[in-house]
């Protein structure tokens, strides 16, 4: 097939080869899908879908030589065309296309002696791209929307429990103005508020450190006790942002002493 005289030898070259072939396959299964569907005539012999480094695609018979120069795509995709829903058939071809792309890339990796570090780097580069299946089924767009939503509402959306301190601390250190201090029980709380307005941010000034009694300052790292829910300057309780990253549940010195005495 297209392998003659084409031998990518570095991780970057193999990845470029992968991206070109992937683009060709995606084109066949999305923008050129009508043409692809017509070429996969069930009356013909075993057909394969090939993607080329030039971002082109082709439906053809498998290579005659055994074993072929490159790993072969799934055989007989045309036989299943009329036996299932079109979207399910395209999804099936996409899954097998993903498997083939990996096989070709790691064939080159083995052929040219990629070591463990090279293979890992190649896989990570490949894995950063959505799979053909994810693109064809629309899962890639859905994931992108979810990532965008998460980045826009970074704090609460990422929390797996009501108050995981390590996530809270990290964000508090990076964007201290984003989080209001704990509201008194009597105040109504609007659960739909994703982003605090300026008035909410001004409320930080009323927050007092449970250790030194000074007001909240937006340029300082603060930490909240999970037991008494009082806020403290990190420097007052000897907690740095880096150390806070590893604390699952923070207890202030006072609450720690109470627990020890019980």
């Amino acid at each position: 097939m297209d392998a003659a005289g084409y031998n990518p030898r570095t991780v970057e070259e193999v990845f470029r080869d992968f991206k070109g072939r992937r683009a060709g396959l995606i084109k066949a299964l999305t923008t050129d899908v009508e043409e692809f569907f017509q070429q996969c005539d069930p009356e013909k012999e075993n057909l394969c879908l090939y993607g080329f480094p030039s971002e082109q695609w082709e439906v053809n018979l498998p290579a005659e030589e055994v074993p072929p120069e490159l790993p072969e795509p799934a055989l007989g995709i045309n036989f299943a065309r009329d036996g299932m829903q079109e979207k399910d058939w395209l999804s099936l071809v996409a899954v097998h296309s993903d498997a083939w792309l990996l096989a070709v890339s790691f064939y080159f990796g083995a052929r040219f002696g990629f070591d463990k570090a090279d293979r890992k780097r190649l896989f990570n580069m490949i894995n950063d791209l959505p799979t053909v299946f994810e693109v064809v089924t629309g899962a890639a767009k859905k994931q992108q929307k979810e990532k965008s939503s998460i980045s826009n509402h970074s704090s609460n959306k990422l929390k797996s429990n009501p108050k995981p301190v390590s996530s809270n601390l990290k964000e508090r250190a990076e964007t201290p103005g984003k989080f209001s201090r704990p509201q008194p029980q009597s105040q109504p709380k609007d659960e739909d508020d994703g982003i605090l307005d300026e008035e909410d941010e001004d409320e930080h000034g009323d927050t007092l450190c449970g250790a030194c009694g000074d007001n909240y300052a937006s340029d300082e790292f603060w930490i909240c006790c999970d037991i008494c829910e009082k806020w403290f300057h990190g420097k007052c309780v000897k907690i740095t942002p880096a150390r806070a990253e590893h604390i699952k549940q923070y207890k202030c010195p006072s609450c720690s002493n109470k627990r020890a005495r019980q």
Side-chain angles (χ1 to χ4, degrees), residues 37 40-43 77-86 89:
F37 187 89
C40 290
D41 186 348
E43 298 300 317
I77 56 171
N78 52 313
F79 297 145
R81 190 194 74 176
D82 296 341
M84 55 200 304
Q85 293 283 334
E86 182 177 340
W89 175 67

Side-chain angles (χ1 to χ4, degrees), residues 77-193:
I77 56 171
N78 52 313
F79 297 145
R81 190 194 74 176
D82 296 341
M84 55 200 304
Q85 293 283 334
E86 182 177 340
K87 66 175 184 178
D88 293 334
W89 175 67
L90 291 172
S91 296
L92 183 65
V93 175
V95 167
H96 284 289
S97 296
D98 282 318
W100 178 67
L101 286 171
L102 282 173
V104 171
S105 292
F106 281 86
Y107 162 84
F108 284 130
R111 188 80 181 269
F112 299 113
F114 287 5
D115 60 17
K116 182 178 179 181
D118 286 338
R119 292 194 302 272
K120 184 175 181 180
R121 190 155 64 92
L122 174 60
F123 178 77
N124 286 340
M125 291 166 77
I126 289 173
N127 204 36
D128 280 340
L129 294 173
T131 63
V132 176
F133 175 79
E134 287 172 334
V135 173
V136 170
T137 59
K141 284 185 180 178
K142 185 179 177 184
Q143 289 172 6
Q144 193 59 40
K145 282 182 181 178
E146 288 173 354
K147 282 182 184 176
S148 175
S149 173
I150 286 172
S151 65
N152 288 337
H153 304 85
S154 58
S155 67
N156 293 332
K157 296 282 184 184
L158 289 173
K159 296 179 181 178
S160 56
N161 57 49
K163 198 173 182 183
V165 178
S166 58
S167 170
N168 187 11
L169 297 176
K170 179 171 184 277
E171 290 160 346
R172 178 107 185 147
E174 292 172 352
T175 53
K178 268 192 179 180
F179 299 89
S180 69
R181 60 189 175 84
Q183 298 284 330
Q185 294 280 335
S186 59
Q187 284 190 340
K189 183 179 179 183
D190 185 356
E191 292 181 356
D192 293 329
D193 261 354

Side-chain angles (χ1 to χ4, degrees), residues 220-234:
E220 294 181 36
F221 172 71
W222 279 55
I223 184 169
C224 181
C225 174
D226 279 278
I227 308 302
C228 66
E229 295 194 342
K230 288 181 182 176
W231 290 89
F232 299 84
H233 289 108

